Amino acid sequence: MDPHLLTTFVTVARCGSFSAAATELGYTQSAISQQIAALEADLGLPLLSRRPVEPTPAGRRLLEHAEPLLLRLRAARADVLRAAAAPRHRIGLAVTPLGFTTDLADRLARARAAWPLLEVTVVTCGRERVAVLVAEGEADLGLVDGLAAPSDPLRPPDAGPLTTAGVSEEDVVVALPAGHPLAGRAALRLADLADARWLRTPLCPLPRLRALAGDGFPVALEHRGDDVRTLIALVAAGHGLTLLPASALRTAPGDAVGVPVSAPRLVHRVELLHGTLPPGPAADLARALTE
């Protein structure tokens, strides 16, 4: 299947409109229709219904394959170009909200001192987006975080042949309102909190908690953002519990506290993702972070 036709198909399916896809891709609407027809002829199946414009069952199955395939093609191009690239006075970082550590901030300051003309860009986004930005060459380095057993690696999204390395691990705490009956405990077992009310948030996915400690963990409120201060404010106001790295609570308002998790043994792990790095500030920073 022609990658250009797959790109057109994915764009039409996402836009739900041939004309909107034509505007985005810079083609005429007629050209878009011809490309979709060519892809359908290649497979011998209709992929998009026309009114409304949406994927057929065959189209939905193709979408499951098309987006990862196109990502891997973009990642291959970026990897080849990186391998032949000259050093650049630039570092592009993609980080998850809890992946930006104080050590990273300090290392960036040292990099800027060592490379006075250095340009630094930091983008905060979800784990999958971090991997995509690094794989496609939009970011030189990525930092992702998650809950893990001590010394256990995370399982970053598959976005191509990226190198992964551990950067840091720290204790995990249950975030509670300061007036909560359990706030004074020395430690808490996760299984003992299965009936408590929890926040559903991408910063601490509840399916991960259920995998670690069994069923339960009912949802009190859904938090869809990635702002840690908002999440802590929700905890402090009594809307629900969550798990956070211990450092996230050290600068929190006094009406939110963290109690260590005693079982299962958990850490908050941060890992570095990168492709081929030519000599230069990005390679120096990657080396410093993983020493």
Side-chain angles (χ1 to χ4, degrees):
M1 288 177 284
D2 187 327
H4 297 291
L5 301 184
L6 281 178
T7 298
T8 299
F9 167 67
V10 169
T11 306
V12 173
R14 173 169 50 79
C15 293
S17 163
F18 280 71
S19 60
T23 299
E24 180 174 323
L25 296 173
Y27 294 121
T28 64
Q29 185 170 336
S30 174
I32 293 291
S33 297
Q34 291 171 15
Q35 291 178 38
I36 296 299
L39 184 59
E40 290 177 328
D42 180 20
L43 290 171
L45 291 166
L47 300 173
L48 291 166
S49 60
R50 280 8 185 214
R51 292 187 181 180
V53 176
E54 59 184 19
T56 63
R60 287 194 293 272
R61 291 299 296 271
L62 180 58
L63 279 174
E64 294 176 9
H65 296 281
E67 292 177 336
L69 285 170
L70 292 171
L71 171 59
R72 291 302 291 267
L73 286 172
R74 294 191 298 270
R77 177 183 177 84
D79 196 47
V80 171
L81 293 176
R82 273 194 300 257
R88 297 184 300 174
H89 289 267
R90 170 186 172 275
I91 298 177
L93 287 171
V95 299
T96 52
L98 292 170
F100 195 97
T101 62
T102 54
D103 182 57
L104 173 59
D106 292 341
R107 298 284 185 181
L108 272 178
R110 294 179 204 175
R112 296 182 69 186
W115 301 76
L117 300 179
L118 184 63
E119 296 179 6
V120 178
T121 303
V122 180
V123 176
T124 303
C125 50
R127 290 180 60 184
E128 300 223 356
R129 186 61 181 160
V130 168
V132 168
L133 290 175
V134 174
E136 293 182 347
E138 295 296 319
D140 302 296
L141 307 175
L143 286 155
V144 297
D145 73 281
L147 301 178
S151 300
D152 261 12
L154 301 177
R155 293 175 176 80
D158 181 15
L162 299 178
T163 298
T164 63
V167 169
S168 67
E169 288 185 1
E170 66 171 301
D171 290 337
V172 172
V173 297
V174 182
L176 300 158
H180 194 281
L182 301 176
R185 293 283 188 91
L188 291 167
R189 289 164 37 91
L190 197 55
D192 294 339
L193 300 170
D195 293 329
R197 304 286 283 174
W198 288 77
L199 298 176
R200 177 184 288 155
T201 169
L203 298 177
C204 177
L206 290 183
R208 179 67 173 141
L209 270 62
R210 292 171 183 136
L212 291 165
D215 293 335
F217 304 94
V219 176
L221 182 148
E222 183 170 3
H223 168 252
R224 295 186 180 179
D226 58 11
D227 180 69
V228 182
R229 288 177 63 86
T230 299
L231 184 62
I232 293 174
L234 289 170
V235 170
H239 291 288
L241 311 184
T242 192
L243 297 186
L244 287 170
S247 60
L249 273 298
R250 290 184 193 130
T251 57
D255 42 3
V257 298
V259 178
V261 176
S262 60
R265 181 77 177 92
L266 290 176
V267 294
H268 175 259
R269 182 174 172 86
V270 178
E271 289 187 353
L272 175 71
L273 309 179
H274 65 83
T276 303
L277 292 172
D284 290 350
L285 179 58
R287 192 177 308 110
L289 287 170
T290 55
E291 282 178 347

